[in-house]
Amino acid sequence: MLIIDDEASIRKTLSEILSFEGYKITEAVDGEEGLKLFSEKTFNTVLCDIKMPKLDGMEFLEKATTIAPDVPIIMITGHGTIETAVEAVKKGAYDFISKPPDLNRLLITLRNALERTTLVTETKVLKKKVSKVQEIVGGSAPIQKIKDTIEKVAPTEARVLVTGENGVGKELVARWIHELSSRSNSPLVEVNCAAIPTELIESELFGHEKGSFTSAIKQRIGKFEQANGGTLFLDEIGDMSLNAQAKVLRALQEGKITRVGADKDINVDVRVIAATNKDLLQEVEEKNFRLDLYHRLSVILINVPSLNERKDDIPLLVDQFLDDICKDYGISKKGIEDKAIDLLQEYNWTGNIRELRNVVERLVILSGKTITPNDVKSYVAMN
Ligand SMILES: Nc1ncnc2c1ncn2[C@@H]1O[C@H](COP(=O)(O)OP(=O)(O)OP(=O)(O)O)[C@@H](O)[C@H]1O
Ligand SMILES: [Mg+2]
């Protein structure tokens, strides 16, 4: 536990009592020192005074909740009015206690806070365990072939490049390759290369040492290291800068990475699966993508066809989505008339399976017990 208070006597009293109760205490004399400690170490909970020199309790709270949002912070309101305390809770404080602290109340608040931390962690672990990978639904020839390929390549160490339009199920393919591989007990770590600003991608992938650039306030482990022993899924690889491509190439060639600002190499054992909706060879031609990296990544190529190319799968997909969505909403499964499915098969699915799922969700919400062709006509904009 971290105790931040500028009054030595308060720190001492709290420290003594709480050590006696079995807590391990770290003390800080003001918000600034508190923040420094907080960003360096992981605490289970924080007790923080509000009025302090340098960085006050409210400022600490704001910064700390962006660093580690799950750590409960309990404010100690000395000169505090109830308003300050309420504001603190609005800003994300777990609770507040007034000064001088009532011992019983303090201990109960702390116990509850720590219990919450345990629950949050447990829930995260359980959610991961429960979220079995969604089946790849579809009986069409191209989907059958993709499933066969997944089964064949999953147990190998081969790199796989998954291509296809938006929403066709590229990520799903990547998840299954990991799931059916010998690495499935290790993490599957996902990086969306398009979502990370160019100047941060290197640190995101390879990590950085503390102080290696202005905002690097603590050491950070990159995605390659996080995926060690498991699989790294490089999504939207076509959007990666040439600079980052060069570094990824090295990681793949040598099995080594260097954290930004570090001088030693780290060995990593990672299987890479990449995905893109771009035509990478076209990108190579336009000098946006390195040919050598392309060859490294595309040992196995899986192209997921658009939904328009496999409309035979629509009935099965709709049935699956009706099942999933009605379960999510806690209602009994709605039916759908054959004529309504026919209409859905005529539709031009530019957003592919993701769009189909959204449409089925909309129909579940807006239609009666059974979805009719009229529902489809009214609620799906035909194009
Ligand atoms: N064959 C399938 N059976 C069941 N659900 C599927 C299938 N293919 C895709 N989905 C579902 O459709 C949604 C979109 O799939 P996914 O995220 O894998 O697409 P993507 O190709 O990665 O899209 P984007 O290019 O936009 O990232 C997900 O909810 C996924 O579970
Ligand atoms: Mg995707």
Side-chain angles (χ1 to χ4, degrees), residues 296-341:
R296 288 271 165 186
L297 291 172
S298 61
V299 178
I300 304 288
L301 265 174
I302 297 183
N303 178 255
V304 188
S306 69
L307 187 54
N308 287 337
E309 294 169 76
R310 48 177 162 121
K311 288 189 165 169
D312 301 351
D313 286 336
I314 289 179
L316 277 177
L317 283 163
V318 169
D319 185 67
Q320 176 73 45
F321 293 152
L322 279 175
D323 214 76
D324 296 346
I325 292 163
C326 293
K327 268 198 196 114
D328 276 355
Y329 282 91
I331 55 177
S332 54
K333 187 172 169 183
K334 291 197 177 183
I336 181 163
E337 286 179 22
D338 288 348
K339 286 259 162 31
I341 293 201

mmCIF file of all heavy atoms in Angstrom, residues 296-341:
data_model
loop_
_atom_site.group_PDB
_atom_site.id
_atom_site.type_symbol
_atom_site.label_atom_id
_atom_site.label_comp_id
_atom_site.label_asym_id
_atom_site.label_seq_id
_atom_site.Cartn_x
_atom_site.Cartn_y
_atom_site.Cartn_z
ATOM 1 N N ARG A 296 8.877 -12.724 -45.807
ATOM 2 C CA ARG A 296 9.005 -13.311 -44.461
ATOM 3 C C ARG A 296 7.642 -13.624 -43.863
ATOM 4 O O ARG A 296 7.478 -14.597 -43.150
ATOM 5 C CB ARG A 296 9.707 -12.322 -43.523
ATOM 6 C CG ARG A 296 11.156 -12.171 -43.794
ATOM 7 C CD ARG A 296 11.962 -13.182 -43.012
ATOM 8 N NE ARG A 296 13.294 -13.225 -43.565
ATOM 9 C CZ ARG A 296 14.218 -14.092 -43.181
ATOM 10 N NH1 ARG A 296 13.962 -14.983 -42.253
ATOM 11 N NH2 ARG A 296 15.408 -14.067 -43.735
ATOM 12 N N LEU A 297 6.690 -12.726 -44.110
ATOM 13 C CA LEU A 297 5.381 -12.863 -43.460
ATOM 14 C C LEU A 297 4.472 -13.867 -44.148
ATOM 15 O O LEU A 297 3.626 -14.484 -43.520
ATOM 16 C CB LEU A 297 4.666 -11.505 -43.429
ATOM 17 C CG LEU A 297 5.249 -10.436 -42.525
ATOM 18 C CD1 LEU A 297 4.550 -9.114 -42.776
ATOM 19 C CD2 LEU A 297 5.122 -10.838 -41.060
ATOM 20 N N SER A 298 4.651 -14.004 -45.457
ATOM 21 C CA SER A 298 3.645 -14.740 -46.225
ATOM 22 C C SER A 298 4.080 -16.157 -46.567
ATOM 23 O O SER A 298 3.911 -16.601 -47.688
ATOM 24 C CB SER A 298 3.316 -13.972 -47.497
ATOM 25 O OG SER A 298 4.500 -13.862 -48.263
ATOM 26 N N VAL A 299 4.618 -16.861 -45.579
ATOM 27 C CA VAL A 299 4.976 -18.257 -45.828
ATOM 28 C C VAL A 299 3.703 -19.004 -46.212
ATOM 29 O O VAL A 299 3.666 -19.759 -47.175
ATOM 30 C CB VAL A 299 5.602 -18.874 -44.558
ATOM 31 C CG1 VAL A 299 5.930 -20.335 -44.783
ATOM 32 C CG2 VAL A 299 6.832 -18.075 -44.135
ATOM 33 N N ILE A 300 2.655 -18.770 -45.449
ATOM 34 C CA ILE A 300 1.339 -19.311 -45.794
ATOM 35 C C ILE A 300 0.406 -18.124 -46.031
ATOM 36 O O ILE A 300 0.381 -17.194 -45.230
ATOM 37 C CB ILE A 300 0.760 -20.150 -44.634
ATOM 38 C CG1 ILE A 300 1.708 -21.264 -44.222
ATOM 39 C CG2 ILE A 300 -0.629 -20.677 -44.999
ATOM 40 C CD1 ILE A 300 1.821 -22.410 -45.183
ATOM 41 N N LEU A 301 -0.307 -18.164 -47.134
ATOM 42 C CA LEU A 301 -1.250 -17.086 -47.438
ATOM 43 C C LEU A 301 -2.672 -17.604 -47.278
ATOM 44 O O LEU A 301 -3.014 -18.645 -47.827
ATOM 45 C CB LEU A 301 -1.067 -16.662 -48.890
ATOM 46 C CG LEU A 301 -0.166 -15.485 -49.192
ATOM 47 C CD1 LEU A 301 -0.007 -15.338 -50.697
ATOM 48 C CD2 LEU A 301 -0.742 -14.205 -48.604
ATOM 49 N N ILE A 302 -3.463 -16.889 -46.510
ATOM 50 C CA ILE A 302 -4.881 -17.261 -46.444
ATOM 51 C C ILE A 302 -5.699 -16.062 -46.879
ATOM 52 O O ILE A 302 -5.644 -15.008 -46.240
ATOM 53 C CB ILE A 302 -5.290 -17.691 -45.020
ATOM 54 C CG1 ILE A 302 -4.516 -18.943 -44.597
ATOM 55 C CG2 ILE A 302 -6.798 -17.945 -44.964
ATOM 56 C CD1 ILE A 302 -4.904 -19.485 -43.238
ATOM 57 N N ASN A 303 -6.406 -16.197 -47.982
ATOM 58 C CA ASN A 303 -7.265 -15.102 -48.412
ATOM 59 C C ASN A 303 -8.704 -15.442 -48.036
ATOM 60 O O ASN A 303 -9.222 -16.473 -48.423
ATOM 61 C CB ASN A 303 -7.139 -14.882 -49.922
ATOM 62 C CG ASN A 303 -8.070 -13.770 -50.371
ATOM 63 O OD1 ASN A 303 -9.101 -14.017 -50.971
ATOM 64 N ND2 ASN A 303 -7.729 -12.541 -50.027
ATOM 65 N N VAL A 304 -9.299 -14.571 -47.230
ATOM 66 C CA VAL A 304 -10.684 -14.816 -46.831
ATOM 67 C C VAL A 304 -11.591 -14.085 -47.815
ATOM 68 O O VAL A 304 -11.523 -12.864 -47.930
ATOM 69 C CB VAL A 304 -10.945 -14.307 -45.394
ATOM 70 C CG1 VAL A 304 -12.319 -14.753 -44.924
ATOM 71 C CG2 VAL A 304 -9.860 -14.805 -44.447
ATOM 72 N N PRO A 305 -12.423 -14.826 -48.553
ATOM 73 C CA PRO A 305 -13.246 -14.180 -49.572
ATOM 74 C C PRO A 305 -14.340 -13.320 -48.954
ATOM 75 O O PRO A 305 -14.745 -13.539 -47.814
ATOM 76 C CB PRO A 305 -13.851 -15.351 -50.346
ATOM 77 C CG PRO A 305 -13.765 -16.512 -49.440
ATOM 78 C CD PRO A 305 -12.618 -16.282 -48.514
ATOM 79 N N SER A 306 -14.813 -12.358 -49.715
ATOM 80 C CA SER A 306 -15.867 -11.478 -49.236
ATOM 81 C C SER A 306 -17.169 -12.263 -49.098
ATOM 82 O O SER A 306 -17.322 -13.336 -49.686
ATOM 83 C CB SER A 306 -16.068 -10.334 -50.222
ATOM 84 O OG SER A 306 -16.629 -10.855 -51.416
ATOM 85 N N LEU A 307 -18.095 -11.727 -48.322
ATOM 86 C CA LEU A 307 -19.372 -12.421 -48.127
ATOM 87 C C LEU A 307 -20.146 -12.527 -49.437
ATOM 88 O O LEU A 307 -20.837 -13.514 -49.684
ATOM 89 C CB LEU A 307 -20.188 -11.707 -47.040
ATOM 90 C CG LEU A 307 -21.476 -12.404 -46.607
ATOM 91 C CD1 LEU A 307 -21.235 -13.842 -46.170
ATOM 92 C CD2 LEU A 307 -22.153 -11.626 -45.479
ATOM 93 N N ASN A 308 -20.017 -11.526 -50.293
ATOM 94 C CA ASN A 308 -20.717 -11.575 -51.583
ATOM 95 C C ASN A 308 -20.273 -12.770 -52.426
ATOM 96 O O ASN A 308 -21.004 -13.248 -53.275
ATOM 97 C CB ASN A 308 -20.489 -10.283 -52.367
ATOM 98 C CG ASN A 308 -21.270 -9.124 -51.769
ATOM 99 O OD1 ASN A 308 -22.266 -9.345 -51.075
ATOM 100 N ND2 ASN A 308 -20.817 -7.907 -52.016
ATOM 101 N N GLU A 309 -19.048 -13.249 -52.190
ATOM 102 C CA GLU A 309 -18.547 -14.395 -52.955
ATOM 103 C C GLU A 309 -18.981 -15.721 -52.342
ATOM 104 O O GLU A 309 -18.628 -16.785 -52.847
ATOM 105 C CB GLU A 309 -17.015 -14.355 -53.012
ATOM 106 C CG GLU A 309 -16.453 -13.189 -53.799
ATOM 107 C CD GLU A 309 -14.948 -13.053 -53.579
ATOM 108 O OE1 GLU A 309 -14.190 -13.849 -54.156
ATOM 109 O OE2 GLU A 309 -14.544 -12.154 -52.802
ATOM 110 N N ARG A 310 -19.604 -15.682 -51.191
ATOM 111 C CA ARG A 310 -20.042 -16.938 -50.556
ATOM 112 C C ARG A 310 -21.391 -16.745 -49.870
ATOM 113 O O ARG A 310 -21.552 -16.995 -48.681
ATOM 114 C CB ARG A 310 -18.983 -17.443 -49.577
ATOM 115 C CG ARG A 310 -18.478 -16.380 -48.637
ATOM 116 C CD ARG A 310 -17.474 -16.940 -47.638
ATOM 117 N NE ARG A 310 -16.711 -15.862 -47.041
ATOM 118 C CZ ARG A 310 -16.663 -15.610 -45.739
ATOM 119 N NH1 ARG A 310 -17.322 -16.346 -44.903
ATOM 120 N NH2 ARG A 310 -15.937 -14.615 -45.278
ATOM 121 N N LYS A 311 -22.345 -16.302 -50.678
ATOM 122 C CA LYS A 311 -23.667 -16.030 -50.124
ATOM 123 C C LYS A 311 -24.375 -17.294 -49.625
ATOM 124 O O LYS A 311 -25.323 -17.200 -48.849
ATOM 125 C CB LYS A 311 -24.522 -15.293 -51.154
ATOM 126 C CG LYS A 311 -24.061 -13.852 -51.329
ATOM 127 C CD LYS A 311 -25.016 -13.039 -52.165
ATOM 128 C CE LYS A 311 -24.711 -11.561 -51.997
ATOM 129 N NZ LYS A 311 -25.418 -10.721 -52.955
ATOM 130 N N ASP A 312 -23.877 -18.472 -50.068
ATOM 131 C CA ASP A 312 -24.446 -19.734 -49.562
ATOM 132 C C ASP A 312 -24.324 -19.836 -48.050
ATOM 133 O O ASP A 312 -25.064 -20.567 -47.407
ATOM 134 C CB ASP A 312 -23.674 -20.955 -50.106
ATOM 135 C CG ASP A 312 -23.677 -21.013 -51.609
ATOM 136 O OD1 ASP A 312 -24.423 -20.207 -52.218
ATOM 137 O OD2 ASP A 312 -22.938 -21.855 -52.150
ATOM 138 N N ASP A 313 -23.339 -19.139 -47.495
ATOM 139 C CA ASP A 313 -23.115 -19.239 -46.049
ATOM 140 C C ASP A 313 -24.098 -18.393 -45.242
ATOM 141 O O ASP A 313 -24.177 -18.538 -44.019
ATOM 142 C CB ASP A 313 -21.681 -18.772 -45.695
ATOM 143 C CG ASP A 313 -20.637 -19.799 -46.111
ATOM 144 O OD1 ASP A 313 -21.007 -20.986 -46.231
ATOM 145 O OD2 ASP A 313 -19.469 -19.423 -46.286
ATOM 146 N N ILE A 314 -24.832 -17.522 -45.935
ATOM 147 C CA ILE A 314 -25.683 -16.583 -45.199
ATOM 148 C C ILE A 314 -26.713 -17.268 -44.276
ATOM 149 O O ILE A 314 -26.828 -16.894 -43.112
ATOM 150 C CB ILE A 314 -26.317 -15.549 -46.161
ATOM 151 C CG1 ILE A 314 -25.199 -14.602 -46.623
ATOM 152 C CG2 ILE A 314 -27.451 -14.771 -45.500
ATOM 153 C CD1 ILE A 314 -25.622 -13.538 -47.598
ATOM 154 N N PRO A 315 -27.447 -18.307 -44.750
ATOM 155 C CA PRO A 315 -28.417 -18.926 -43.834
ATOM 156 C C PRO A 315 -27.773 -19.429 -42.536
ATOM 157 O O PRO A 315 -28.297 -19.184 -41.451
ATOM 158 C CB PRO A 315 -28.980 -20.087 -44.656
ATOM 159 C CG PRO A 315 -28.777 -19.695 -46.081
ATOM 160 C CD PRO A 315 -27.524 -18.882 -46.106
ATOM 161 N N LEU A 316 -26.648 -20.108 -42.653
ATOM 162 C CA LEU A 316 -25.975 -20.634 -41.460
ATOM 163 C C LEU A 316 -25.507 -19.503 -40.541
ATOM 164 O O LEU A 316 -25.640 -19.577 -39.320
ATOM 165 C CB LEU A 316 -24.751 -21.463 -41.859
ATOM 166 C CG LEU A 316 -24.989 -22.917 -42.251
ATOM 167 C CD1 LEU A 316 -23.680 -23.567 -42.677
ATOM 168 C CD2 LEU A 316 -25.589 -23.680 -41.063
ATOM 169 N N LEU A 317 -24.946 -18.462 -41.162
ATOM 170 C CA LEU A 317 -24.453 -17.332 -40.363
ATOM 171 C C LEU A 317 -25.606 -16.645 -39.631
ATOM 172 O O LEU A 317 -25.498 -16.332 -38.443
ATOM 173 C CB LEU A 317 -23.723 -16.329 -41.265
ATOM 174 C CG LEU A 317 -22.309 -16.739 -41.691
ATOM 175 C CD1 LEU A 317 -21.854 -15.907 -42.877
ATOM 176 C CD2 LEU A 317 -21.326 -16.585 -40.520
ATOM 177 N N VAL A 318 -26.706 -16.429 -40.354
ATOM 178 C CA VAL A 318 -27.855 -15.756 -39.743
ATOM 179 C C VAL A 318 -28.350 -16.579 -38.558
ATOM 180 O O VAL A 318 -28.627 -16.043 -37.477
ATOM 181 C CB VAL A 318 -28.982 -15.547 -40.779
ATOM 182 C CG1 VAL A 318 -30.276 -15.110 -40.104
ATOM 183 C CG2 VAL A 318 -28.550 -14.518 -41.820
ATOM 184 N N ASP A 319 -28.422 -17.897 -38.757
ATOM 185 C CA ASP A 319 -28.893 -18.759 -37.680
ATOM 186 C C ASP A 319 -27.983 -18.641 -36.446
ATOM 187 O O ASP A 319 -28.448 -18.488 -35.325
ATOM 188 C CB ASP A 319 -28.926 -20.205 -38.169
ATOM 189 C CG ASP A 319 -29.535 -21.111 -37.124
ATOM 190 O OD1 ASP A 319 -30.744 -20.955 -36.864
ATOM 191 O OD2 ASP A 319 -28.814 -21.945 -36.552
ATOM 192 N N GLN A 320 -26.685 -18.663 -36.698
ATOM 193 C CA GLN A 320 -25.723 -18.549 -35.596
ATOM 194 C C GLN A 320 -25.872 -17.205 -34.875
ATOM 195 O O GLN A 320 -25.892 -17.122 -33.650
ATOM 196 C CB GLN A 320 -24.303 -18.692 -36.151
ATOM 197 C CG GLN A 320 -23.201 -18.490 -35.125
ATOM 198 C CD GLN A 320 -23.111 -19.676 -34.183
ATOM 199 O OE1 GLN A 320 -23.144 -20.833 -34.618
ATOM 200 N NE2 GLN A 320 -23.045 -19.404 -32.892
ATOM 201 N N PHE A 321 -25.986 -16.134 -35.657
ATOM 202 C CA PHE A 321 -26.081 -14.799 -35.053
ATOM 203 C C PHE A 321 -27.390 -14.635 -34.279
ATOM 204 O O PHE A 321 -27.416 -14.020 -33.221
ATOM 205 C CB PHE A 321 -25.925 -13.703 -36.117
ATOM 206 C CG PHE A 321 -24.535 -13.655 -36.713
ATOM 207 C CD1 PHE A 321 -24.314 -13.186 -38.005
ATOM 208 C CD2 PHE A 321 -23.440 -14.076 -35.978
ATOM 209 C CE1 PHE A 321 -23.030 -13.150 -38.557
ATOM 210 C CE2 PHE A 321 -22.152 -14.047 -36.509
ATOM 211 C CZ PHE A 321 -21.956 -13.582 -37.806
ATOM 212 N N LEU A 322 -28.494 -15.212 -34.825
ATOM 213 C CA LEU A 322 -29.769 -15.144 -34.095
ATOM 214 C C LEU A 322 -29.597 -15.792 -32.729
ATOM 215 O O LEU A 322 -30.037 -15.274 -31.702
ATOM 216 C CB LEU A 322 -30.864 -15.878 -34.869
ATOM 217 C CG LEU A 322 -31.519 -15.110 -36.007
ATOM 218 C CD1 LEU A 322 -32.500 -16.005 -36.748
ATOM 219 C CD2 LEU A 322 -32.238 -13.870 -35.478
ATOM 220 N N ASP A 323 -28.911 -16.929 -32.744
ATOM 221 C CA ASP A 323 -28.668 -17.657 -31.506
ATOM 222 C C ASP A 323 -27.865 -16.808 -30.519
ATOM 223 O O ASP A 323 -28.279 -16.589 -29.380
ATOM 224 C CB ASP A 323 -27.862 -18.909 -31.880
ATOM 225 C CG ASP A 323 -28.204 -20.078 -31.015
ATOM 226 O OD1 ASP A 323 -29.278 -20.664 -31.244
ATOM 227 O OD2 ASP A 323 -27.406 -20.389 -30.115
ATOM 228 N N ASP A 324 -26.708 -16.317 -30.989
ATOM 229 C CA ASP A 324 -25.805 -15.525 -30.120
ATOM 230 C C ASP A 324 -26.499 -14.279 -29.587
ATOM 231 O O ASP A 324 -26.434 -13.973 -28.400
ATOM 232 C CB ASP A 324 -24.571 -15.053 -30.902
ATOM 233 C CG ASP A 324 -23.707 -16.218 -31.363
ATOM 234 O OD1 ASP A 324 -23.919 -17.337 -30.861
ATOM 235 O OD2 ASP A 324 -22.844 -16.003 -32.236
ATOM 236 N N ILE A 325 -27.137 -13.548 -30.503
ATOM 237 C CA ILE A 325 -27.671 -12.239 -30.124
ATOM 238 C C ILE A 325 -28.846 -12.394 -29.156
ATOM 239 O O ILE A 325 -28.932 -11.703 -28.144
ATOM 240 C CB ILE A 325 -28.061 -11.433 -31.383
ATOM 241 C CG1 ILE A 325 -26.786 -11.066 -32.156
ATOM 242 C CG2 ILE A 325 -28.835 -10.165 -31.018
ATOM 243 C CD1 ILE A 325 -27.019 -10.649 -33.587
ATOM 244 N N CYS A 326 -29.750 -13.347 -29.454
ATOM 245 C CA CYS A 326 -30.885 -13.547 -28.550
ATOM 246 C C CYS A 326 -30.390 -13.973 -27.177
ATOM 247 O O CYS A 326 -30.934 -13.546 -26.157
ATOM 248 C CB CYS A 326 -31.866 -14.556 -29.132
ATOM 249 S SG CYS A 326 -32.676 -13.926 -30.625
ATOM 250 N N LYS A 327 -29.352 -14.788 -27.134
ATOM 251 C CA LYS A 327 -28.772 -15.183 -25.837
ATOM 252 C C LYS A 327 -28.246 -13.956 -25.112
ATOM 253 O O LYS A 327 -28.487 -13.770 -23.916
ATOM 254 C CB LYS A 327 -27.642 -16.189 -26.035
ATOM 255 C CG LYS A 327 -28.136 -17.615 -25.957
ATOM 256 C CD LYS A 327 -26.982 -18.589 -25.704
ATOM 257 C CE LYS A 327 -27.436 -20.004 -26.025
ATOM 258 N NZ LYS A 327 -26.746 -20.594 -27.175
ATOM 259 N N ASP A 328 -27.517 -13.124 -25.846
ATOM 260 C CA ASP A 328 -26.971 -11.894 -25.243
ATOM 261 C C ASP A 328 -28.074 -11.036 -24.635
ATOM 262 O O ASP A 328 -27.897 -10.435 -23.590
ATOM 263 C CB ASP A 328 -26.254 -11.044 -26.302
ATOM 264 C CG ASP A 328 -24.821 -11.508 -26.504
ATOM 265 O OD1 ASP A 328 -24.392 -12.406 -25.760
ATOM 266 O OD2 ASP A 328 -24.147 -10.982 -27.410
ATOM 267 N N TYR A 329 -29.213 -10.957 -25.352
ATOM 268 C CA TYR A 329 -30.305 -10.110 -24.886
ATOM 269 C C TYR A 329 -31.168 -10.813 -23.848
ATOM 270 O O TYR A 329 -32.103 -10.228 -23.313
ATOM 271 C CB TYR A 329 -31.182 -9.668 -26.067
ATOM 272 C CG TYR A 329 -30.581 -8.544 -26.877
ATOM 273 C CD1 TYR A 329 -29.766 -8.806 -27.961
ATOM 274 C CD2 TYR A 329 -30.827 -7.217 -26.544
ATOM 275 C CE1 TYR A 329 -29.198 -7.774 -28.704
ATOM 276 C CE2 TYR A 329 -30.272 -6.188 -27.278
ATOM 277 C CZ TYR A 329 -29.456 -6.474 -28.353
ATOM 278 O OH TYR A 329 -28.909 -5.455 -29.084
ATOM 279 N N GLY A 330 -30.888 -12.105 -23.632
ATOM 280 C CA GLY A 330 -31.656 -12.861 -22.652
ATOM 281 C C GLY A 330 -33.086 -13.112 -23.091
ATOM 282 O O GLY A 330 -33.999 -13.150 -22.269
ATOM 283 N N ILE A 331 -33.300 -13.255 -24.409
ATOM 284 C CA ILE A 331 -34.649 -13.556 -24.890
ATOM 285 C C ILE A 331 -34.606 -14.905 -25.618
ATOM 286 O O ILE A 331 -33.525 -15.380 -25.958
ATOM 287 C CB ILE A 331 -35.163 -12.472 -25.876
ATOM 288 C CG1 ILE A 331 -34.168 -12.279 -27.034
ATOM 289 C CG2 ILE A 331 -35.389 -11.161 -25.142
ATOM 290 C CD1 ILE A 331 -34.631 -11.281 -28.078
ATOM 291 N N SER A 332 -35.787 -15.511 -25.854
ATOM 292 C CA SER A 332 -35.743 -16.791 -26.562
ATOM 293 C C SER A 332 -35.485 -16.520 -28.042
ATOM 294 O O SER A 332 -35.827 -15.458 -28.575
ATOM 295 C CB SER A 332 -37.026 -17.583 -26.333
ATOM 296 O OG SER A 332 -38.124 -16.780 -26.673
ATOM 297 N N LYS A 333 -34.874 -17.509 -28.683
ATOM 298 C CA LYS A 333 -34.388 -17.307 -30.057
ATOM 299 C C LYS A 333 -35.527 -16.965 -31.014
ATOM 300 O O LYS A 333 -36.545 -17.643 -31.057
ATOM 301 C CB LYS A 333 -33.677 -18.573 -30.523
ATOM 302 C CG LYS A 333 -33.001 -18.423 -31.861
ATOM 303 C CD LYS A 333 -32.161 -19.645 -32.163
ATOM 304 C CE LYS A 333 -31.685 -19.635 -33.604
ATOM 305 N NZ LYS A 333 -30.924 -20.851 -33.910
ATOM 306 N N LYS A 334 -35.339 -15.901 -31.780
ATOM 307 C CA LYS A 334 -36.354 -15.512 -32.759
ATOM 308 C C LYS A 334 -36.204 -16.341 -34.030
ATOM 309 O O LYS A 334 -35.099 -16.759 -34.375
ATOM 310 C CB LYS A 334 -36.215 -14.019 -33.102
ATOM 311 C CG LYS A 334 -36.602 -13.115 -31.941
ATOM 312 C CD LYS A 334 -36.866 -11.691 -32.376
ATOM 313 C CE LYS A 334 -37.322 -10.873 -31.174
ATOM 314 N NZ LYS A 334 -37.671 -9.495 -31.515
ATOM 315 N N GLY A 335 -37.310 -16.551 -34.718
ATOM 316 C CA GLY A 335 -37.260 -17.268 -35.984
ATOM 317 C C GLY A 335 -37.095 -16.288 -37.140
ATOM 318 O O GLY A 335 -37.151 -15.072 -36.956
ATOM 319 N N ILE A 336 -36.858 -16.822 -38.315
ATOM 320 C CA ILE A 336 -36.785 -15.964 -39.504
ATOM 321 C C ILE A 336 -37.384 -16.723 -40.688
ATOM 322 O O ILE A 336 -37.119 -17.923 -40.866
ATOM 323 C CB ILE A 336 -35.334 -15.490 -39.787
ATOM 324 C CG1 ILE A 336 -35.295 -14.578 -41.026
ATOM 325 C CG2 ILE A 336 -34.373 -16.660 -39.943
ATOM 326 C CD1 ILE A 336 -34.022 -13.746 -41.135
ATOM 327 N N GLU A 337 -38.254 -16.076 -41.444
ATOM 328 C CA GLU A 337 -38.885 -16.754 -42.582
ATOM 329 C C GLU A 337 -37.890 -16.951 -43.722
ATOM 330 O O GLU A 337 -36.992 -16.132 -43.918
ATOM 331 C CB GLU A 337 -40.076 -15.914 -43.074
ATOM 332 C CG GLU A 337 -41.255 -16.003 -42.120
ATOM 333 C CD GLU A 337 -42.429 -15.147 -42.587
ATOM 334 O OE1 GLU A 337 -42.523 -14.828 -43.795
ATOM 335 O OE2 GLU A 337 -43.242 -14.787 -41.713
ATOM 336 N N ASP A 338 -38.064 -18.064 -44.461
ATOM 337 C CA ASP A 338 -37.152 -18.362 -45.576
ATOM 338 C C ASP A 338 -37.063 -17.208 -46.565
ATOM 339 O O ASP A 338 -35.990 -16.867 -47.049
ATOM 340 C CB ASP A 338 -37.628 -19.612 -46.332
ATOM 341 C CG ASP A 338 -37.395 -20.861 -45.491
ATOM 342 O OD1 ASP A 338 -36.683 -20.742 -44.473
ATOM 343 O OD2 ASP A 338 -37.936 -21.928 -45.831
ATOM 344 N N LYS A 339 -38.229 -16.585 -46.830
ATOM 345 C CA LYS A 339 -38.244 -15.479 -47.788
ATOM 346 C C LYS A 339 -37.385 -14.312 -47.291
ATOM 347 O O LYS A 339 -36.799 -13.583 -48.085
ATOM 348 C CB LYS A 339 -39.691 -15.005 -48.018
ATOM 349 C CG LYS A 339 -40.503 -15.961 -48.876
ATOM 350 C CD LYS A 339 -40.587 -15.427 -50.299
ATOM 351 C CE LYS A 339 -40.975 -16.439 -51.358
ATOM 352 N NZ LYS A 339 -41.857 -17.545 -51.012
ATOM 353 N N ALA A 340 -37.346 -14.141 -45.986
ATOM 354 C CA ALA A 340 -36.527 -13.062 -45.410
ATOM 355 C C ALA A 340 -35.043 -13.365 -45.613
ATOM 356 O O ALA A 340 -34.249 -12.484 -45.940
ATOM 357 C CB ALA A 340 -36.836 -12.896 -43.928
ATOM 358 N N ILE A 341 -34.686 -14.628 -45.458
ATOM 359 C CA ILE A 341 -33.289 -15.025 -45.699
ATOM 360 C C ILE A 341 -32.936 -14.826 -47.167
ATOM 361 O O ILE A 341 -31.852 -14.335 -47.495
ATOM 362 C CB ILE A 341 -33.072 -16.491 -45.270
ATOM 363 C CG1 ILE A 341 -33.226 -16.568 -43.742
ATOM 364 C CG2 ILE A 341 -31.701 -16.984 -45.714
ATOM 365 C CD1 ILE A 341 -32.587 -17.746 -43.095
#
